[in-house]
Amino acid sequence: QVQLVESGGGLVQAGGSLGLSCAGSRITFSTYIMGWFRQAPGKEREFVAAITWSGESTYYADSVKGRFAIARDNAKNTMYLRMNSLKPEDTAVYYCAADRSISTAQAMAVIVPRLWGQGTQVTVSS
């Protein structure tokens, strides 16, 4: 069974940094475009960032552009999200996602990816 498992969430003060990881198992990792989504309490899940197969292209939501950085290491079947200058409004459950029916990182912002992790909580205190 294909699995995506997030780790690295936690509590951080506003202005701080946090890193998330997403490890894939039983998946040909390099054939998937990968992405991060988040869902805050009482809000719909929203796109955060995406990265193409070998990391050649990335795409970010405007709300995180310049503060977050997505990366991947296919040799380790792992994707990362480095979050800097965190704000209380970044508080959410963060999900990693994967899909191979699309051909651009930007496309992940407008589809419902096929594969999802279970989520990891990120809380930013003011």
Side-chain angles (χ1 to χ4, degrees):
Q1 184 177 354
V2 172
Q3 276 192 316
L4 297 175
V5 179
E6 302 94 338
S7 61
L11 174 65
V12 64
Q13 287 189 331
S17 298
L18 202 60
L20 304 182
S21 298
C22 171
S25 60
R26 304 181 197 87
I27 180 176
T28 308
F29 201 77
S30 61
T31 66
Y32 285 80
I33 291 181
M34 304 292 297
W36 290 96
F37 290 73
R38 67 186 182 186
Q39 187 167 20
K43 295 188 177 181
E44 293 187 355
R45 188 159 50 192
E46 64 174 358
F47 169 80
V48 175
I51 186 167
T52 52
W53 308 274
S54 297
E56 61 270 28
S57 179
T58 58
Y59 182 71
Y60 296 90
D62 287 343
S63 58
V64 306
K65 200 174 296 182
R67 299 188 298 121
F68 289 13
I70 189 171
R72 66 190 294 167
D73 184 342
N74 290 338
K76 296 181 178 179
N77 275 15
T78 302
M79 175 181 62
Y80 307 95
L81 186 68
R82 182 64 182 175
M83 303 181 292
N84 298 319
S85 303
L86 282 161
K87 305 174 181 179
E89 51 263 43
D90 293 319
T91 294
V93 177
Y94 283 70
Y95 299 89
C96 69
D99 199 282
R100 56 183 179 184
S101 69
I102 54 176
S103 59
T104 66
Q106 188 172 0
M108 182 157 277
V110 295
I111 67 162
V112 178
R114 179 174 172 270
L115 302 177
W116 292 90
Q118 84 289 348
T120 186
Q121 177 71 46
V122 172
T123 303
V124 184
S125 63
S126 57

